[in-house]
Structures are given as C-alpha cells and as structure tokens.
Amino acid sequence: MQMPNEPIVGIDLDNTIIDYQELFYTIAFRSGLIDKGFPKDKQQIRDFLRSKDGGEDDWQRLQSKVYGEEIQSAELFDKVTDFFQRCKQRHIPVYIVSHKTRYPGRGKKTDLRKAAIAFLEKKGFFSDGLIQRDQVYFEATRKEKIERRCKRIVKYFP
C-alpha cells in the first residue's frame, strides 16, 4: 500500500500519452475535409472545420474515427514509455485518467474506451508491466475526470 508521502502520478491519455497530430491530418485529408498541405495541427484542423457550415458535425465524425476505429494508427509521444519505465523502476504508481465517453456523439458507434485499451495493449503497456489494467480510468466528463484524480490523490495525501 502507498504511504502518504510517496509520490503518485495521474496522467491523461489523449494528447499526453497518445499523439494524434499526424493521424488527424491523415484522416481529415483522406476524408476530403482538408487539402494537401494543410498544417498537421489538430487545433487548426478543428478550428477550420468548425468555421464551415456543418463543420461541427464533420469535426465530431473526424474525432470519432481518430479516437475509435483508427486509433491503432496513432503514435505515442516521444519518451512516454521511458517515463513509465522510470516510474516502474522507482515504484511510483502511475494512473491514467481519461475524459473519454464510451461511444462518440457522431460517426460509427465504436467503443472508444475499448479502442484505447487495445491501443495500450498493442503498445505493450500491460504486457511489459508498465501499468495494470485497473490503473486506467475513463470518465464521461471533464468534471468526473478531475474528481477521479482528486479522489486518488486525497486517498494518499490526507
């Protein structure tokens, strides 16, 4: 059991562990939503799509593809596995707390949480012992995500 003064890490999944920049560009281009040469920047793609008539729906369908059926093509940020390995070596528990609904609001009804777990499995997080499955939490809202992190921290740091 963790002692009160020992460190504990809570980390987000999307855009912290998983790097989607290239994937958002690839899927948006392949879907005809942007032209070749558009910046490979998720924020710029989002802003561009939302500025168009009906663009919010396009943006949500794009997110559905990227976070769901196409997530296996995403990349890890550089040094993420090094960070998890160092935490493991130092016996510092790491928890992934993600704001991720089970299903997207638009697009194909893919279980986004299962897709994320499959991504982590593919990248060796569980088989290499970097993290246990019960150290991954998905919350439906940002508020619940923050509360989950706070509960976890309060439990160990009275």
Side-chain angles (χ1 to χ4, degrees):
M1 176 162 185
Q2 194 78 12
M3 299 303 294
N5 292 326
E6 293 181 28
I8 183 172
V9 175
I11 189 168
D12 192 23
L13 180 65
D14 295 325
N15 304 302
T16 304
I17 294 172
I18 305 175
D19 181 355
Y20 294 101
Q21 293 288 16
E22 188 77 30
L23 188 56
F24 266 101
Y25 172 83
T26 299
I27 303 303
F29 175 71
R30 195 167 64 201
S31 300
L33 298 171
I34 59 172
D35 294 328
K36 188 174 180 131
F38 195 92
K40 294 180 181 181
D41 181 272
K42 176 187 166 189
Q43 184 94 19
Q44 288 186 47
I45 294 169
R46 182 197 73 181
D47 292 347
F48 172 73
L49 293 177
R50 284 180 164 173
S51 72
K52 298 168 62 175
D53 196 31
E56 182 62 32
D57 287 341
D58 288 340
W59 169 244
Q60 288 185 24
R61 278 191 286 279
L62 176 61
Q63 283 183 300
S64 172
K65 283 183 185 177
V66 169
Y67 295 135
E69 58 194 285
E70 297 286 347
I71 193 173
Q72 297 303 324
S73 298
E75 299 293 330
L76 292 172
F77 276 103
D78 288 341
K79 310 288 183 187
V80 164
T81 52
D82 293 346
F83 170 77
F84 276 83
Q85 288 169 341
R86 287 189 178 129
C87 288
K88 180 182 175 183
Q89 290 166 351
R90 290 173 174 83
H91 306 286
I92 299 171
V94 179
Y95 294 84
I96 296 173
V97 184
S98 178
H99 165 224
K100 186 180 289 292
T101 58
R102 181 163 301 277
Y103 300 105
R106 302 264 194 290
K108 186 176 178 182
K109 189 175 179 179
T110 302
D111 188 322
L112 302 177
R113 295 174 180 182
K114 283 184 179 178
I117 291 295
F119 176 87
L120 292 171
E121 285 174 345
K122 178 183 174 186
K123 296 297 183 180
F125 278 78
F126 304 126
S127 62
D128 293 345
L130 300 178
I131 194 167
Q132 300 299 313
R133 174 58 188 91
D134 65 356
Q135 291 172 264
V136 180
Y137 296 95
F138 296 108
E139 303 298 344
T141 67
R142 285 194 174 112
K143 181 179 185 238
E144 290 171 344
K145 175 177 138 179
I146 292 166
E147 287 173 359
R148 166 71 66 183
R149 283 186 180 169
C150 291
K151 284 178 191 175
R152 191 87 214 157
I153 292 168
V154 169
K155 181 176 178 182
Y156 293 116
F157 297 100

